[in-house]
Structure formats: structure tokens, C-alpha cells
Amino acid sequence: MISDLSNRASEWLCGIGPMHDVVVSSRVRLARNLAGMPFLSKCDARQKSEILEKLRIAIMACDLGEKLTYVDVARATPLDRELLTERHLISRQHAASDSPRGVIISDNETVSLMINEEDHLRMQVLRSGLQLNEAFDEIFRIDAALEKVLNYAFSSRYGYLTACPTNVGTGLRVSVMLHLPALKLTGELDRALRAARDMKLAVRGLYGEGTDSLGDFFQISNQITLGRSEKDIVEEFLSVIVPELLNYERKARQALMAHDATDIEDKIFRALAILQSARKITSKETMYRLSMIRLGVHLGKITSFDLKAVNELSLLAQPAHLQKILGREIQDEERQKVRADFLRQRLKACSS
Amino acid sequence: MMSDDRKCDKCGKPATVHLTEIVDGKKLEKHLCEECAEAEGITIKANVPIGQLLENIIQHAQETASGEMSQNAAIASAPANEDVICNVCGMSFAEYNEHGLLGCPNDYDAFGEKLAKAILHVQDGSDRHVGKIPANADVMLTLQNRILKLRSDLRQAIHAEQYEHAAQLRDTIKAIEEQQAK
């Protein structure tokens, strides 16, 4: 399955969802642990394998309405693990761990169920644009189906019990990936992100915990999982958090176009020219230039290709994807050259 | 609050230990000198910070008020800086504090109020689940810690090469799990 993934973008990342000018994607995840088993920090390898087998067999036998594929992450090559990380199907932590572990992925890559990450089971559903309710309904359906065959650690006081108390209660983490280039350019980003942090939200980079805000992408997620219902957590995102940040970014874009239109257009078209002409380029610079191009598409400045193409390039230009497309492992220096060649070709194909 | 010239209730020497206890909902004040306090089994460790001492007194006074504690409970039987260990997974609260990850579901009970305080802090003042409850919660609530303990015993039995005992434990676990699966 992994080899099929590398030359196309995930459906959820490729697709264009509601509010896609700012909200790239929506994600919900639930943390669950099997009752009667220690958390992973106190499991030996045998117990970890036991948990992995129990969950794998139970989930694969469940009819979740999607075709599911199991990937043994511990046995996968480092390159395949990196590929799954770039596609947001496993976390960096899951890729790097040395435990017996795996992931179950739906055919369209919107559902991913990580086994033996920080908790026994981490379920996530991804959707394009702002579709938190849809993502939430799906994860609730999956959770209910699995709960018929699995018993989870639960307490009446603390709810679903998790290895880290920051997830206890609902075990629910709701996140949106936002593209905020205009706020960065107007210098208002810090203020906006501070407001988000004041609302007890975590602000992270493109690949979650401990990652940089590559290409003006920011992942905003709830930190409080206890004392609020799942619906309330989702509703706060939909009615308060996202509209507020969306509004900030849209206003900043309007302000830029009203006062610095030439500067902005210059940045957008220089970014395009660089990607069309560069002979070597890092993945970091690629993300930064693509961020400007994405802004150009939304502002109607670039019409030769669409958002879908930008999304696809952002993913395929990542290190593991490039190496998979090329069919062999390449070191950083050569990778920069391969990346530049790849981008030139794709952009040429897009504009013709 | 307390006047300094109080005499010890027992021997009349100047009292240095002042206690307020709540027994059967009634407030009782005690004033003792250090020796008499010690004779009553009350010790004040100098290395316990005053803040913690007060917390202990408040906490135990509350527990006493709810009829769960014995006399002389005003000073904690286990000082606040003493570690707590989960008898199921063997993790100590200090170990949890160092790594940030708990060892087993029973830690939520075993670490009691120490963990409750930490949770209150990270969860912005929330300490009670109000979300979804599993369909089989009633059964699981009573059984899950029993299974957890049996599994921990099983691990120890295997480690100690007590295979007969281990087999019995395994059968018990299996029987319980099969029963709930129905």
C-alpha cells in the first residue's frame, strides 16, 4: 500500500473543503487504552505485542464502513515511516519509537488508527477545510463500533484514562491547520497566536508537537480535555476560535491588498519564478514559496493553476515523497537538485 | 490567631503546638508543648514547608469531618513530601513527575490528591469528566482494576517461576474477560 501512496496526494489534503482560503484541514483524535492493561511506560515488549495483536485483530474484524489496511510500523523501512509522517498518518513520535507498533489506515487516508503510540490506541479522522462536525461524527461512529468489542480504561471521575493526564476525560484533541501568511506579513501573527494561547489552545507547526511553522501553517488545538463534553469542545472551535482567526487573516489580506498590493504581488510572482527556475532548493524554502503561491491563488493573482495543485506540490516535494517518486534514497544535497527539477516539471505541466 | 502565652493542656509548660481538629463535626482546639505533642504521636517535621503543613491540616480536617479519619489526624500520617507508589504497576509519583506519563490506570486512584492537584492544574480547573461514557461503563468500572491487579500478579508469578499459580491467574483473567464479552 505504501508504494501506492507516494505519487499522489491524500484525498483529504488534496480536496477543497469549506473555508479553504484559511483552513487547510480539520482533524479530530481520540486517545483510548485497554482496560486491565498497564499503560505503555510499564509494559514490557511481550505486553506491547499482546496489545498490538489484540487491537489489530479487533479493529480489522470491525466493519467501519471503509476498506482498512494494516501497516506494521516497527517493520516498515525508515523511508516508509517518514512517508507516513509526511502524510499525517502517523505522528513523528510513532515513527521514531522502538516499540512493537502499527497503524490501520482507511483507503482514502481520512482515518488512521495508531496502535501503541503514547496510548494503546490513538484514532484520528482528517478532513479538508473546516469540517470538524463531519470529522467528529465519523470518529464517534468508529469509537462506538470499537467499543462494542473492546473494553477501555475508564473512571467515573476522570473519564477515559490516558497515559498523560493532559488527555484524560474525553481523550479528544480537535485541531485545525490554518494558513496565515497575511498575518505574518502584517506583523500581527504574534498577537493572534497569543490570543489563541490565552484561550488555552496549543499552537504548533505543520507536523504537530515540537515542529516548526513551515510555510505559515499553524496547527491550533484544544488543550483542555476534562470537564467539557466532546460536543462543547468542537462547538467552541466552530463558533469562536476558527471564525475569530479566520477573520483576522482575511482582514490582514484585505489590508495588504489595499495598502501594499505591489509588494504582495511582487512576493507572489517572485515565489512562482523561483520555483519555475531554481536548480536546487531546500524543502523549507519550497514550503515558504508555496505559501506565497497559495496566497496568490486565493487573492486571484495566480490563475494558471489551482489550490489542488499547490496542495499536491506541498506534499510531494517533502523528502520521503521525493525519494519514493525517484525510487531510491538520496542524500540532502542531491535531494535539493531533484526537488528543483521535480517542481519545474510539475509547474510547467500545470501552466501549459 | 493563637496567643503565644498559652499553656500546654497536659503539663502546663508553654505550648508550642496548636491544633484544631474536627471530630464528629465539632471543632476541638489543642495546645501542647513539644514533648507532650510527641507523646501523643504528633510530630512536626522541620523540613515540611509551612504551606504543605497547612494543606495537610486542611485536607485532613476535611477528611475527618467526613468521618473517615481517626483522632490526631491533624498532622498527616504521611507527610506531603513522602512519595506514593502504585501497588499494581510499581510506579511512584516522583517517577511520574519526572517523565510525565503514568504507568497504569490504577495510578489515577493510587496517586490520589497529589495527582488530582496536577490534573486540576493542567486541565484549567476541571477535575471531573462530563463527556461520553462507554456503553459498558458500569461493568468495567468494577472489573477493570481487578483485572489490572490480576495481570500484575501474573507477571510477578511468571517472573518468580510459579507457573501453577500463573496458570490459575491466567484462567481467572480469561474467565472474567470472556464473561464481559458476552
Side-chain angles (χ1 to χ4, degrees), chain A residues 49-317:
Chain A
S49 299
E50 195 184 320
I51 292 166
L52 180 63
E53 277 311 281
K54 188 167 183 177
L55 285 171
R56 183 182 66 81
I57 292 166
I59 297 169
M60 293 303 282
C62 240
D63 180 17
L64 299 181
E66 323 245 5
K67 185 172 173 279
L68 302 173
T69 305
Y70 174 75
V71 179
D72 185 333
V73 178
R75 291 214 179 119
T77 65
L79 188 60
D80 283 345
R81 290 204 282 263
E82 184 63 27
L83 188 89
L84 293 172
T85 313
E86 287 175 2
R87 296 178 89 83
H88 298 273
L89 295 172
I90 62 173
S91 64
R92 292 234 152 139
Q93 196 184 339
H94 201 51
S97 143
D98 55 6
S99 296
R101 63 202 188 281
V103 63
I104 294 167
I105 302 165
S106 71
D107 227 22
N108 59 9
E109 294 177 65
T110 56
V111 179
S112 131
L113 310 164
M114 278 187 280
I115 305 173
N116 287 352
E117 203 240 24
E118 186 178 287
D119 293 297
H120 298 163
L121 182 61
R122 288 273 177 107
M123 305 178 252
Q124 76 163 13
V125 172
L126 293 154
R127 283 277 188 281
S128 328
L130 184 61
Q131 296 194 63
L132 283 174
N133 270 333
E134 293 78 356
F136 176 73
D137 288 347
E138 173 149 27
I139 209 159
F140 234 55
R141 192 175 55 72
I142 294 171
D143 189 42
L146 293 182
E147 219 152 54
K148 285 187 188 148
V149 289
L150 296 167
N151 291 311
Y152 296 133
F154 184 85
S155 100
S156 50
R157 177 174 179 184
Y158 290 125
Y160 289 92
L161 301 178
T162 51
C164 182
T166 53
N167 296 308
V168 79
T170 56
L172 175 68
R173 189 80 70 217
V174 168
S175 336
V176 283
M177 187 70 77
L178 304 179
H179 184 228
L180 306 173
L183 282 174
K184 178 108 164 263
L185 290 169
T186 57
E188 292 165 289
L189 185 65
D190 283 347
R191 199 162 54 93
L193 296 183
R194 210 177 311 130
R197 289 192 176 104
D198 285 346
M199 294 178 75
K200 305 284 172 197
L201 300 169
V203 180
R204 299 187 173 111
L206 190 56
Y207 289 101
E209 219 159 315
T211 63
D212 290 339
S213 60
L214 221 52
D216 308 321
F217 290 108
F218 296 90
Q219 186 186 293
I220 312 284
S221 47
N222 66 306
Q223 286 186 294
I224 311 301
T225 55
L226 185 67
R228 292 180 198 181
S229 73
E230 293 83 355
K231 277 275 174 207
D232 285 349
I233 295 172
V234 173
E235 192 47 41
E236 195 187 13
F237 262 78
L238 286 172
S239 62
V240 185
I241 297 160
V242 176
E244 206 157 303
L245 289 166
L246 192 85
N247 197 26
Y248 271 145
E249 171 66 18
R250 282 179 179 167
K251 278 198 171 143
R253 288 181 192 181
Q254 282 165 8
L256 282 176
M257 286 312 286
H259 308 296
D260 308 297
T262 311
D263 279 358
I264 286 304
E265 283 181 35
D266 187 60
K267 279 196 167 67
I268 291 166
F269 286 104
R270 275 171 187 271
L272 183 58
I274 285 172
L275 294 191
Q276 282 170 334
S277 324
R279 292 310 194 252
K280 54 182 282 196
I281 191 163
T282 62
S283 111
K284 197 173 173 184
E285 184 179 352
T286 306
M287 290 307 278
Y288 169 67
R289 305 293 175 199
L290 283 172
S291 167
M292 283 299 112
I293 292 173
R294 170 185 270 271
L295 181 63
V297 171
H298 285 309
L299 294 175
K301 300 294 164 195
I302 293 178
T303 50
S304 52
F305 53 91
D306 59 8
L307 194 63
K308 194 173 173 228
V310 181
N311 284 343
E312 207 162 45
L313 286 180
S314 310
L315 181 69
L316 301 183

